[in-house]
Every structure is written in C-alpha cells, then in structure tokens.
C-alpha cells in the first residue's frame, strides 16, 4: 500500500524513481506520480491508473533533474484521480510532498487553512501537510516539517522537497515505514528496502518520530526535537534475488508463488528441525526453555490470511503443547483491554511486517508488559524489529497481492513452534520424531498435491459463473475454509463464505440451491463421518458439492458432484495440503472471469493504514 521512493545524487532522478515504484507495484495502488527539481523549477508528473500510464506521461514530458520524490497511492481520502494523486504541491508550487498514512485531524486543519485563504486542489488529507509545511517555511525545510508535523494526528511516512533547497530531501515517519539508502551515486529514501535493491549498498530504518535529511553526498537522522541520533547502518537485504521479481515461465506471480511452495516450505524448515532431540529450535525467539515452560497462555493476533494461519496455530498449540490459545483480529485487539496475566505471550503474524493494525496491537501488548513474538516474512520490517523475538518465514518476496506461499509457510512455522513448546512440556520423544518426519516429507507431498491442477481447471470451468460459494470444513480445516473463501473473494470478486461444516445447518443452509456450490474439505480424519453427513444435507437440498478429498476415496466420490484429490497426510498438516487446490481454484476461476489476478481491485499487499 502506498509506495515512496526518493533520490538525490549525480544521476537523472526520474528513471530511478520509476524503477523504484515498479518494484513496489505489488503492494497495491491506484495512481502514481513524481516530482523532480532543477533548482529553478519543480517538474510534476502524475496520473491515475497503473504505473505504465505515468511512464507514458514522463516519456512524453520528461521530468529533468537529479533530485526528486515519487509515490504510488492507494486511495483513502478522495477518489483515484489525477488531482488526488501524489505528489502534492503548496499554492506557490515550490514545495512538494508525498505521504503514506492517514491524517486523522485533516478536516479541522483544512478548515483553518481555508479560513486563512488557502485554495485546495484535491480531496486528500495529504494536501493539508503540503500547505502546513509551506506556512512554516522560512528557508529551513526540516524545521518547517517539524513544526507542521507537531499539529498532525495520525500516521505518516513522508518525503518533502523545496525548490529553494536543491538536492535536499526531508523524510519523517510515524507508524508508516521509511528507510534511507546510501549508494555510490547518491542517497535514497523509500517506504520499502526492496525499492532500493541494486541502487543502495547500505540502509537505515527510521523509527517512529524520527526525521531524516538527505543531500547528494550526505545524510543524517534526527529526533523530533531535531537533535542528531545515532542509528544502525545495515547492508541492504535484497529480497528480490535472481528470478524473484520475474514471472519466468508462469503467466502470473500468483501461480508462480503457488508452485514455489515446496521450496518455500523447505526454506521455512531448513536448520530448524532436530531429529536427535525430537524437537525444533529457533535462533530468534530470545526465550529459554524455562521461560517457555512458564507460558500459561498465548494470544495470537493478525489480519486477513495471517489471521487464518493463526487459527490453525490455535489447534496446533493446544494439541501439541497443551497451551490455551486465543486468536484475535489485530484491529480489534488494539482497542480492547483483555485480561492477560504476566505469563501470557502475544504472537503477531504478518507477511509484510508493516500491517498497521498488527503493529499497533503488538505495541499495545508491549506497553502492557507482555512478551511479544512475531512470525514475519520481511527482514528489517517494523514488526520484526519491535517484537521481543520471532521467526522469519524465508519465503522470499510475495508479489501477488493474494497471499499463498506466506500462508503455508506460516502454518509450517506454527507447527514447528508447537512441537518446540510441546517438547518443553509433555510431548514425548516418539511423538516429536513422528512430527519431524511428517514435516520433512511435506515438500514432496506438496509437489504431488500440485498435480491436481488439471482437475482444478475442469472444476473451475464448471463453476466460474457462480455468484455465491460456500466453503465448509471442520477442526483443522475450518480456518482453511475461511482462507479458501477469502482467496475466491480477493481475486475473482465472487461472494464466498467459509464456515465450520456443522454450523452450515444453523443458518447458511438457507443459501443452498442449485446455483450455489459448496466446497467441502473432507480428507480422511477424526470427523470424516460427520462432514460426510453435512455433505449429504447439502445434496438433499439440491446444492452442487465440490469435495477436496483423499486420493481414491470412493465414499466421497459417490456423493460429491466433483472431487479434487490430494495426498493423505496427518490431520495437523491437512491445512497446508488442502490450501493448495483452493488457491488454484481461486486462480483459475479469476482467469475465467477476466480478473487481474496479481493486482485485484481495491486491495493492497501491505495495509499500512487503519
């Protein structure tokens, strides 16, 4: 969501800005823009729509200069129009600003500015900041930024330039990520280090309420009182390794990432399973065995797909570690005051490490004195840096907006954490060794599972015209039903709902008719007979049934209209295996519906606003 890229140095800025934005396209946006400076003039170019549209504008009307800032916008205040696109300028067109986040008190500030005669050109909250900075500007941009931000309530990651200060970029953050890059040809500013890969050699991650000042050859970071602060300088972590940013032989990033899951699962487990001790180990948890034994309760918090992974984690932790678990939407937990004793650990799950609600929930938990852990994919992200300890997924960049490989890697990590915690308590060595063997076999099982793709294509062709779809599963597979429904909604725009299969008769069964298919997750397990009964209830009311079932299960095929077969695995690993055909089904239906699979409408990869 909302990307920022800035550059000041000894090269033309606009190609760098456009390339940086291109690397952030996967985060989701609806307009893009840039502004460069030649000292005597600011050159503004912006356009609603895809980045390619901005590229056409710049190609026809170049933006000269070695100093500039750029932005991809995901609309919050005001529609996706040229005027609402960033950057925003002050009235005299000599200060330009880009902004990620939300200015909560923008309406009051805008009213004050309008009363003083300021004319606004957009419907955004961001333009207020441009005019505020202009109001306080008297030849010192960093001081003007500080004074303007003192009036702001909300979140921000900003980059600002002024015509009167050529070569200078001022950045600031509060609740929205910002990173400084240092390269041989100049200095950089971005909302994500991925945008700087190949340009910068070193990076500095800003923390909340810090301000940075960049010039062509130097940079510094200051606190909110403008006093210099010491910061940690790191080698840039280039997640976009060879081939990661390219689709290769695949038509879409989503399909590529679905097929990467045997490798990403292997990466998640690499070096973390100890067969000799029948356990797992993690270098970044920062909790000893004694501390682990003292945990009385775990609260998992997340949003979206990560929330569904956390629901699977609840089953895993309670079965293997016998620890009570509560799963909370981060957007709810951040505003609640739930009773949690000192032996409660808060575990945040996030792909990007920048999800605003999850970050806020983690910070609130830390403020209350609880130990916080994170499962995260993005090294150097805000949540990864602020949690007391955690585990990286090592899944590589996930470019498709709809999460696939991050979900299965999160579940695999949760299974290993459940094993680790269980082995500090009651779980026997024999049980631990069995779990390790099951986990180690998982990459090959997923390769076999992917062979269902041809079956999935046939099912998709049959049901692509559906307007409503139900997803039903029980126990470990209830969260997967939620995730399968979410995938279909996200990329095909077909209404879908996930339910525990037994709850279907308590209301959702009213939706069942011949045009509403139900996807049943029914591999062999402890509640197999119960789910079969639920399936019969749907069939008795004329509803089409699609079953995700164990290979060769004739009992299921005798009832279901269509069957997608998967390999047999233990119940606690069924969420990973059953997720694969559901991801493929959503993908294939979206293609048939003519949807943009990698960039679905209205969605952002990393939701950094509330």
């Amino acid at each position: 969501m909302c990307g920022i890229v800035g550059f000041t140095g000894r090269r033309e800025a606009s190609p760098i800005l456009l390339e940086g934005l291109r690397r952030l396209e996967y985060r989701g946006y609806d307009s893009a823009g840039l502004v460069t400076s030649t000292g005597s003039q600011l050159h503004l170019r912006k356009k609603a729509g895809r980045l390619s549209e901005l590229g056409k504008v710049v190609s026809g009307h170049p933006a000269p200069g070695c100093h500039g800032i750029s932005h991809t916008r995901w609309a919050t205040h005001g529609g996706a129009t040229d005027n609402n696109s960033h950057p925003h300028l002050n009235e005299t067109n000599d200060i330009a600003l880009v902004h990620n986040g939300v200015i909560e008190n923008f309406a009051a500030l805008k009213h004050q500015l309008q009363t003083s005669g300021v004319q606004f050109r957009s419907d955004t909250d961001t333009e207020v900041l441009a005019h505020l900075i202009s109001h306080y500007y008297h030849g010192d941009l960093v001081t003007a930024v500080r004074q303007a931000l003192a009036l702001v309530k909300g979140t921000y990651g900003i980059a600002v330039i002024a015509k009167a200060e050529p070569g200078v970029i001022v950045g600031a953050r509060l609740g929205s990520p910002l990173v400084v890059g240092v390269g041989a040809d100049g200095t950089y500013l971005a909302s994500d280090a991925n945008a700087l890969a190949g340009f910068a050699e070193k990076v500095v991650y800003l923390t909340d309420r810090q301000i940075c000042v960049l010039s062509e050859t130097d940079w510094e970071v200051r606190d909110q009182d403008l006093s210099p602060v010491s910061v940690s300088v790191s080698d840039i972590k280039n997640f976009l390794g060879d081939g990661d940013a390219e689709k290769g032989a695949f038509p879409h990033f989503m399909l590529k990432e679905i097929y990467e899951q045997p490798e990403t699962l292997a990466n998640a487990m690499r070096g973390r399973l100890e067969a000799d001790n029948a356990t797992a180990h993690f270098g970044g948890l920062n909790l000893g065995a004694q501390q682990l034994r003292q945990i009385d309760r775990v609260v998992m918090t997340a949003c979206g797909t990560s929330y569904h992974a956390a629901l699977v984690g609840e089953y895993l932790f309670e079965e293997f570690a016998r620890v009570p678990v509560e799963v909370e939407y981060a957007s709810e937990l951040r505003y609640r005051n739930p009773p949690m004793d000192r032996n409660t650990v808060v575990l945040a799950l996030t792909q990007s490490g920048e999800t605003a609600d999850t970050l806020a929930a983690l910070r609130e938990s830390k403020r209350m004195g609880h130990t916080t852990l994170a499962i995260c994919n993005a090294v150097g992200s805000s949540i990864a840096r602020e949690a007391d300890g955690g585990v990286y997924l090592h899944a590589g960049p996930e470019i498709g907006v709809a999460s696939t490989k991050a979900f299965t890697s999160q579940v695999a990590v949760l299974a290993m954490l459940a094993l680790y915690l269980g082995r500090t308590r009651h779980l026997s060595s024999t049980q631990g060794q069995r779990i390790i063997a099951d986990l180690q076999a998982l990459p090959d099982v997923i390769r076999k599972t992917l062979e269902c793709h041809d079956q999935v294509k046939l099912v998709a062709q049959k049901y692509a015209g559906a307007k409503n779809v139900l997803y039903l599963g029980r126990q470990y597979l209830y969260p997967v039903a939620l995730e399968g429904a979410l995938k279909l909604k996200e990329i095909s725009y077909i209404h879908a709902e996930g339910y525990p299969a037994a709850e279907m008769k308590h209301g959702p069964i009213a939706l069942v008719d011949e045009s509403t298919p139900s996807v049943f997750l029914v591999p062999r397990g402890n509640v197999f007979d119960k789910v079969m009964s639920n399936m019969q209830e749907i069939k008795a009311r004329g509803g089409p049934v699609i079953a995700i079932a164990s290979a060769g299960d004739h009992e299921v095929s005798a009832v279901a209209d269509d069957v997608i077969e998967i390999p047999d695995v233990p119940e606690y690993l069924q969420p990973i295996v059953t997720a694969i055909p559901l991801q493929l089904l959503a993908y294939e239906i979206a293609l048939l519906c003519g949807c943009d699979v990698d960039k679905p409408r209205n969605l952002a990869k990393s939701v950094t606003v509330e």
Side-chain angles (χ1 to χ4, degrees):
M1 176 182 290
C2 294
I4 289 175
V5 181
F7 172 73
T8 178
R10 294 175 292 278
R11 298 170 57 186
E12 281 291 311
S14 60
I16 295 171
L17 301 178
L18 287 169
E19 173 59 21
L21 294 181
R22 185 188 69 80
R23 297 177 184 181
L24 301 181
E25 276 195 285
Y26 71 97
R27 297 174 73 91
Y29 68 102
D30 45 46
S31 60
L34 61 82
V35 61
T36 60
S37 171
T38 51
S40 61
Q41 185 180 353
L42 296 183
H43 307 276
L44 178 66
R45 310 286 185 264
K46 56 184 185 176
K47 188 70 175 174
R50 294 299 184 196
L51 185 60
S52 58
E53 297 301 312
L54 176 63
K56 293 175 185 176
V57 171
V58 174
S59 178
H61 302 278
C66 302
H67 167 221
I69 55 177
S70 61
H71 190 264
T72 48
R73 175 179 185 255
W74 187 82
T76 57
H77 297 73
T81 65
D82 291 352
N83 282 343
N84 289 336
S85 305
H86 297 213
H88 289 286
L89 274 58
N90 64 339
E91 281 193 293
T92 52
N93 298 330
D94 49 22
I95 290 176
L97 171 142
V98 294
H99 165 232
N100 289 350
V102 172
I103 307 302
E104 294 174 1
N105 61 335
F106 87 98
L109 294 171
K110 183 174 182 177
H111 177 71
Q112 292 174 14
L113 289 164
Q114 287 175 323
T115 300
S116 67
V118 174
Q119 298 293 316
F120 280 74
R121 301 162 177 161
S122 76
D123 302 316
T124 68
D125 56 333
T126 297
E127 191 181 354
V128 166
L129 260 180
H131 295 303
L132 278 178
I133 293 169
S134 177
H135 173 76
Y136 288 111
Y137 185 69
H138 303 290
D140 185 348
L141 185 58
V142 68
T143 298
V145 168
R146 174 184 177 272
Q147 290 175 310
L149 292 178
L151 302 177
V152 164
K153 295 179 182 179
T155 59
Y156 55 79
I158 62 171
V160 192
I161 63 173
K163 184 172 67 176
E165 298 185 43
V168 174
I169 299 174
V170 175
R173 73 157 281 177
L174 175 61
S176 191
L178 214 56
V179 58
V180 174
V182 183
D185 296 320
T187 52
Y188 303 80
L189 191 65
S191 54
D192 188 324
N194 283 333
L196 306 183
F199 294 125
E201 290 86 40
K202 303 286 184 180
V203 290
V204 176
Y205 292 92
L206 269 63
T207 61
D208 278 352
R209 302 191 187 280
Q210 287 185 337
I211 297 174
C212 64
V213 185
L214 314 184
S215 67
E216 294 180 7
T217 58
D218 201 6
W219 59 273
E220 63 177 332
V221 178
R222 305 180 187 179
D223 62 20
Q224 59 185 337
D225 297 321
L226 300 187
S227 299
V229 297
S230 59
V231 293
S232 175
V233 181
S234 307
D235 291 334
I236 190 168
K237 302 295 184 182
N238 183 2
F239 299 112
L240 297 178
D242 293 342
D244 279 342
E246 304 299 332
K247 300 179 194 129
F250 294 93
H252 298 93
F253 281 110
M254 182 179 178
L255 187 62
K256 174 176 180 279
E257 287 155 9
I258 290 171
Y259 272 81
E260 285 176 345
Q261 287 174 105
E263 288 71 36
T264 54
L265 286 165
N267 291 340
M269 293 185 285
R270 184 169 290 113
R272 289 172 170 165
L273 295 174
E274 288 186 10
D276 291 343
N277 294 315
T279 189
H281 71 91
F282 303 90
L285 283 184
N286 301 326
L287 292 176
Q290 187 60 34
Q291 292 170 295
L292 289 170
R293 292 188 192 97
Q294 291 174 349
I295 296 174
D296 292 331
R297 181 176 173 225
V298 175
V299 174
M300 297 185 186
T301 189
C303 303
T305 287
S306 294
Y307 176 81
H308 299 154
L311 289 174
V312 178
E314 179 179 12
Y315 287 95
L316 289 164
F317 274 48
E318 292 184 349
E319 178 174 352
F320 294 128
R322 305 301 299 164
V323 175
V325 175
E326 181 179 352
V327 182
E328 293 271 3
Y329 281 113
S331 56
E332 293 297 309
L333 181 61
R334 66 182 293 187
Y335 291 114
R336 289 185 60 209
N337 186 28
M340 293 193 286
D341 62 33
R342 64 180 180 178
N343 292 327
T344 295
V345 169
V346 176
L347 175 59
L349 285 80
T350 168
Q351 191 281 135
S352 69
E354 302 292 353
T355 306
D357 287 322
T358 308
L359 179 58
L362 181 134
R363 286 173 172 169
E364 179 65 9
S365 300
K366 285 175 67 72
R367 187 192 65 78
M368 298 176 69
H370 298 295
T371 298
T372 58
L373 302 175
I375 295 176
C376 181
N377 195 36
V379 178
S381 60
S382 296
I383 289 175
R385 287 183 286 116
E386 295 190 27
D388 296 317
V391 183
Y392 284 120
L393 299 180
H394 301 307
E398 193 175 59
I399 307 300
V401 167
S403 182
T404 52
K405 62 181 180 177
F407 172 78
T408 52
S409 291
Q410 284 173 334
V411 174
V413 167
L414 287 165
M416 290 187 291
L417 281 170
L419 166 63
Y420 181 44
L421 194 56
R423 287 289 286 137
T424 66
R425 298 169 177 240
H426 75 283
L427 201 66
S428 72
S429 174
T430 300
Q431 290 172 305
Q433 288 172 343
R434 188 197 73 235
I435 293 169
I436 287 174
D438 292 338
L439 286 167
Q440 289 174 331
L442 196 53
D444 285 336
V445 171
I446 299 305
R447 290 186 183 94
K448 181 68 175 176
T449 305
L450 286 165
E451 294 176 7
C452 76
H453 197 168
D454 287 339
Q455 288 179 305
V456 170
K457 288 180 180 179
L458 295 174
V459 173
Q461 290 167 6
K462 188 173 179 180
Y463 297 102
K467 301 301 181 184
N468 297 283
V469 182
L470 297 176
Y471 286 72
L472 303 163
R474 295 193 69 172
Q475 298 294 294
Y476 276 106
L477 298 178
Y478 160 54
V480 186
L482 294 174
E483 175 61 11
L486 177 62
K487 284 292 150 289
L488 191 68
K489 283 183 280 195
E490 285 180 315
I491 63 171
S492 74
Y493 320 139
I494 294 172
H495 178 259
E497 296 295 336
Y499 290 97
E503 287 298 303
M504 171 269 304
K505 58 185 176 289
H506 297 293
I509 199 168
L511 300 173
V512 172
D513 59 23
E514 63 280 357
S515 63
T516 302
S518 295
V519 180
F520 272 87
L521 305 176
V522 61
R524 289 281 170 170
N526 289 332
V527 292
F528 174 82
D529 291 337
K530 303 294 185 183
V531 181
M532 287 297 297
S533 295
N534 300 141
M535 191 187 301
Q536 292 280 11
E537 290 168 345
I538 295 290
K539 288 293 295 179
R541 287 155 180 84
V545 169
I546 304 163
I548 312 297
S550 303
D553 195 322
H554 300 296
E555 189 174 347
V556 173
S557 61
V559 177
D561 296 278
D562 298 276
V563 179
I564 300 170
E565 296 186 339
I566 58 171
D568 267 324
V569 292
E571 284 188 83
Y572 63 89
L573 294 182
Q574 286 177 355
I576 295 176
V577 177
T578 55
I580 305 300
L582 298 187
Q583 293 168 357
L584 289 169
L585 183 62
Y587 172 82
E588 291 296 339
I589 289 178
L591 285 185
L592 292 168
C593 292
C595 300
D596 189 338
V597 173
D598 287 336
K599 300 169 187 172
R601 69 187 183 199
N602 302 334
L603 296 183
K605 185 64 180 174
S606 176
V607 184
T608 57
V609 297
E610 186 174 357

